[in-house]
Amino acid sequence: MHYSPGAPILRSYDLQNWEYIGHSVPTLDFGSTYSLVGGQAYVQGIWASFFGYHPTKNTWYWGGCIDFATSYIYSASSVTGPWSRLTTINKCYYDCGLLVDDDGTMYVSYVYNNNIWIAQLSSDAKSEVKSQQVYVPPSTIGYLEGTRFYKRNGVYYILVTHPATSEYVLKASSIFGTYTIKALALSLAPPISVAGNPLPGNPHQGGLVDTPSGQWYYMAFMDAILAVAFPSWPPSRGVPTLVNGAWGSSYTSTLSTVSVASPTGPDFFTSISHNWEWNHNPDTSKFSTGSSGLTLNAVTVTSDLYAARNTITHRILGPKSTGTIKLNYGNMKDGDRAGLVLLRDSSAWVGVKRDGGAYTVCYTTGLTMNTDWSTASTGSTTASVPISGGSIWLRITADIAPGGTKLANFYYSTDGTSFSSIGSAFTMGTNWEFFMGYRFGIFNYATSALGGYVTVPLFQLDAGTGTTPASVSTTTTKTTTTTTTTKTSTTTTKATTTTTASGGCTATHYAQCGGIVPLLSALPRLYWVHVLREWHDLHIPERL
């Protein structure tokens, strides 16, 4: 989408606990609007894409269609980077999947004109050799998308989705077909119900994961909230099926639990970790990190936060979490606005205004976008309190649990210990068209003239309603993502994770439901990992 760097990479050793280790697209070099120059690129850019490894080339590849016109391919010799753009191809590989065949030839499955196609890439992956339509869905199935491409025991498989209820498997004995289709999950009862969600659907638009020991897992998402449940897949030939032909509300893991860096805790901005992405490309000359934390110089003169450059964002953690920043505001200029925003196409923020030499902490709500993602309203300030002293702590608590309140509450503190509520509770939107979930964002922009700046020496992410913020002077910083593949620790305990419609769960780490996963939905999506029974004929009642 419009967040930069793009195409985040997560790593897990147990399909429960995930850590960010990099981004496949280091900058959104798709045009000036992706830098909020001459326009904006909200809900454009990176959509469903392919990601894979070529073993004989020892190279990782990412590819995706940008602006429904051009496919960009990036590559790296290490999954943690550095990544660089390899090529562009003048056609759209929409909702694509990558397969590296046994002879090293690379193929891409994709959707074109509502049908399923396969393209063969050149040996250097810089151009297309040929492409061919391989499957036309009948009217009884309808539109398919979200292709994922596999080969097993000499047979080719493409997973496809009929959004947002069904997942199918295409199967052929040769790369270009003929392909036949069977249902993997069709009109099944969803694993959880989501009260008030307009489009929860079933786990869909998923992919297959195999372990070194030969187990198989199906991982997919629901348009609901953040979590991961658990799964397997014995080796026999045929088409994959779900264990018991249904979704389970919980699973017992057959994998050893492996801890990773905690997603919660303080970040002192000595550098910018892979957990962070900018709203559009930043002006890299206008921010810095170091011993004083994150310094944000005002880049844009505007009354519209959606048009302001250099807002840095962090995904919310479900089912309920709190983001807190310390903001040093003494170097703001008159007309400047800085603070913490709950960011999407309907937004609200708590922050500091400087006007006439005086400072106030305020709550601003009602920021909205039109259906073309242009700004409909810049919002209005409904609560404000005079402040002084040069530093303030700002906090947002967001309930994004399935069936939860969908409410966010805003707070401030002048001492970092006692927090006061400001403004009314904000109801988060659930329309699916803006695919990304809400994010915490830190911003600083000018409404009169440039020249001001703020420093942010602390961001803290807590599970639930929040804890006392860490002292900025502490020498113990949060563990950052490593660039190695060494496991940090291993136990032989089998974990069980259960998620309910109310958002309750039991988990082995961080008081959360199974670590971190990417969020791309109206509310964050629930990622579901399911037991697969066999590569065998389906036995699922007819029903991304």
Side-chain angles (χ1 to χ4, degrees):
M1 293 296 181
H2 52 268
Y3 291 112
S4 179
I9 304 168
L10 290 88
R11 176 176 60 197
S12 175
Y13 302 101
D14 56 18
L15 296 182
Q16 284 188 94
N17 302 291
W18 296 81
E19 59 183 340
Y20 292 91
I21 62 170
H23 288 81
S24 311
V25 180
T27 186
L28 307 184
D29 50 353
F30 314 139
S32 62
T33 58
Y34 286 90
S35 298
L36 286 175
V37 175
Q40 47 82 10
Y42 287 106
V43 197
Q44 299 178 47
I46 294 170
W47 288 31
S49 51
F50 71 66
F51 178 75
Y53 177 69
H54 196 302
T56 58
K57 295 179 181 293
N58 191 31
T59 300
W60 291 85
Y61 294 94
W62 177 94
C65 174
I66 305 301
D67 296 337
F68 301 98
T70 305
S71 295
Y72 288 67
I73 297 178
Y74 294 75
S75 64
S77 58
S78 169
V79 70
T80 55
W83 286 80
S84 60
R85 192 209 289 185
L86 178 68
T87 192
T88 59
I89 296 176
N90 257 340
K91 68 188 306 183
C92 179
Y93 294 148
Y94 181 79
D95 271 19
C96 50
L98 176 67
L99 173 70
V100 179
D101 212 341
D102 300 336
D103 63 358
T105 304
M106 288 177 280
Y107 298 93
V108 177
S109 60
Y110 62 101
V111 179
Y112 173 69
N113 198 25
N114 296 333
N115 300 323
I116 308 302
W117 286 64
I118 292 174
Q120 178 184 338
L121 301 183
S122 59
S123 59
D124 60 5
K126 292 184 177 181
S127 61
E128 181 186 287
V129 175
K130 68 173 184 177
S131 59
Q132 182 175 317
Q133 179 177 283
V134 298
Y135 187 76
V136 178
S139 59
T140 53
I141 291 178
Y143 173 72
L144 297 174
E145 64 179 19
T147 70
R148 295 291 177 261
F149 208 176
Y150 308 92
K151 185 179 183 181
R152 186 175 186 274
N153 295 336
V155 179
Y156 298 90
Y157 300 87
I158 304 175
L159 266 67
V160 289
T161 287
H162 176 72
T165 59
S166 307
E167 188 81 16
Y168 292 89
V169 182
L170 300 174
K171 173 186 173 184
S173 58
S174 61
I175 189 74
F176 288 107
T178 304
Y179 280 85
T180 58
I181 191 167
K182 287 194 174 182
L184 175 64
L186 186 64
S187 295
L188 300 177
I192 62 171
S193 59
V194 185
N197 193 322
L199 189 68
N202 276 285
H204 63 286
Q205 207 169 105
L208 307 180
V209 180
D210 63 324
T211 69
S213 61
Q215 299 168 311
W216 286 88
Y217 296 80
Y218 171 69
M219 186 172 185
F221 67 75
M222 284 181 62
D223 293 278
I225 191 64
L226 172 65
V228 175
F230 240 59
S232 188
W233 197 353
S236 65
R237 190 161 177 153
V239 176
T241 66
L242 301 180
V243 168
N244 300 322
W247 303 112
S249 60
S250 65
Y251 298 92
T252 298
S253 169
T254 60
L255 302 176
S256 297
T257 300
V258 180
S259 62
V260 297
S262 172
T264 58
D267 187 335
F268 300 104
F269 287 117
T270 55
S271 63
I272 295 177
S273 74
H274 299 305
N275 298 295
W276 293 93
E277 294 166 357
W278 300 89
N279 177 23
H280 294 64
N281 293 322
D283 181 338
T284 57
S285 69
K286 298 299 184 181
F287 74 88
S288 62
T289 58
S291 58
S292 298
L294 173 67
T295 298
L296 291 176
N297 292 273
V299 182
T300 312
V301 178
T302 181
S303 60
D304 180 8
L305 186 146
Y306 290 130
R309 297 190 69 184
N310 285 29
T311 296
I312 190 168
T313 73
H314 193 291
R315 287 180 173 88
I316 297 172
L317 194 64
K320 187 175 188 177
S321 61
T322 297
T324 303
I325 66 169
K326 182 180 181 181
L327 181 74
N328 297 331
Y329 57 83
N331 292 295
M332 295 173 67
K333 300 295 184 182
D334 275 350
D336 285 2
R337 312 293 188 243
L340 184 65
V341 61
L342 191 64
L343 185 65
R344 213 178 75 105
D345 60 329
S346 173
S347 304
W349 56 266
V350 57
V352 175
K353 291 183 176 183
R354 173 173 164 163
D355 294 300
Y359 295 94
T360 57
V361 59
C362 62
Y363 170 70
T364 300
T365 187
L367 291 77
T368 57
M369 292 183 180
N370 295 307
T371 55
D372 64 354
W373 314 124
S374 61
T375 300
S377 172
T378 58
S380 59
T381 297
T382 61
S384 63
V385 178
I387 55 172
S388 60
S391 295
I392 196 167
W393 287 257
L394 307 172
R395 169 171 287 182
I396 302 174
T397 296
D399 179 359
I400 55 174
T405 65
K406 302 181 181 67
L407 294 179
N409 294 281
F410 297 74
Y411 307 88
Y412 72 95
S413 172
T414 56
D415 60 9
T417 301
S418 177
F419 281 81
S420 300
S421 176
I422 186 168
S424 58
F426 174 75
T427 301
M428 291 176 280
T430 58
N431 59 302
W432 66 268
E433 290 87 353
F434 196 101
F435 294 100
M436 292 71 62
Y438 276 94
R439 295 189 179 201
F440 298 125
I442 306 171
F443 66 90
N444 179 35
Y445 66 92
T447 65
S448 298
L450 301 180
Y453 68 90
V454 296
T455 59
V456 183
L458 171 71
F459 170 84
Q460 184 164 308
L461 181 65
D462 290 308
T465 55
T467 60
T468 300
S471 170
V472 173
S473 62
T474 181
T475 59
T476 303
T477 61
K478 119 177 188 179
T479 303
T480 57
T481 304
T482 65
T483 57
T484 69
T485 56
T486 305
K487 296 183 179 181
T488 54
S489 64
T490 303
T491 69
T492 57
T493 303
K494 308 305 181 188
T496 299
T497 300
T498 303
T499 304
T500 66
S502 63
C505 66
T506 58
T508 54
H509 296 290
Y510 323 132
Q512 300 296 323
C513 297
I516 312 175
V517 292
L519 307 180
L520 296 172
S521 181
L523 282 179
R525 286 170 169 167
L526 167 71
Y527 279 73
W528 211 256
V529 187
H530 191 90
V531 182
L532 293 170
R533 181 169 58 198
E534 302 185 45
W535 293 87
H536 198 42
D537 288 340
L538 292 176
H539 300 286
I540 298 178
E542 290 299 326
R543 359 192 274 176
L544 279 160

